[in-house]
Amino acid sequence: QVEVRESGGGSVEPGGSLRLSCVASARIQPVFDSYCVGWFRQPQGQPRESVALSNRADDTTYSDSVKGRFTFIKDKVENTVYLQMDSLRPEDSAMYYCGLSRRPLCRHISSYEYWGQGTEVTVSV
């Protein structure tokens, strides 16, 4: 049984910060030694897109749109990952999801099969 739960979303003004959390639960432990984990977002009326991806070797890649502003943090002991979001812009507004992938190659959104319910982020004046 694999479970994913996100939290930490909310409303913030442009230039502000938010910190999202994702707690993962799986039969195989430690979770992130066996699963890729990533943050994704889906703006209203648009497709879901990757934000930051981290494989089992802890290599992390960021979308160009968030590079330098967002930071992916992985806590293997607590099976928890965080997304520290700074210098937020209105275009960052979206439903943010945490996803897990059991596949060895996990550089594309189609590789992720376990998802949380999402946490909403709104950046506006």
Side-chain angles (χ1 to χ4, degrees), residues 1-2 5 12 20 24 26 34 41 43 69 75-76 85 96 99 104-105 107 111 122:
Q1 188 69 36
V2 178
R5 183 175 70 255
V12 66
L20 307 183
S34 299
R41 67 186 182 187
R69 300 187 298 118
D75 186 337
K76 294 183 177 181
M85 305 186 295
Y96 281 72
L105 296 177
R107 301 175 64 181
S111 300
T122 302

Side-chain angles (χ1 to χ4, degrees), residues 25-89:
S25 178
R27 185 174 60 186
I28 302 175
Q29 300 287 337
V31 174
F32 302 132
D33 283 354
S34 299
Y35 293 85
C36 296
V37 59
W39 283 102
F40 306 80
R41 67 186 182 187
Q42 185 170 17
Q44 186 69 32
Q46 301 183 37
R48 190 174 301 183
E49 63 184 20
S50 62
V51 175
L53 307 176
S54 180
N55 62 19
R56 289 170 287 184
D58 298 328
D59 299 315
T60 303
T61 57
Y62 296 89
S63 169
D64 288 340
S65 63
V66 307
K67 195 173 301 181
R69 300 187 298 118
F70 291 9
T71 304
F72 186 100
I73 305 166
K74 182 185 292 185
D75 186 337
K76 294 183 177 181
V77 175
E78 298 295 331
N79 295 323
T80 302
V81 296
Y82 305 90
L83 186 66
Q84 178 66 44
M85 305 186 295
D86 299 316
S87 302
L88 283 163
R89 306 165 180 170

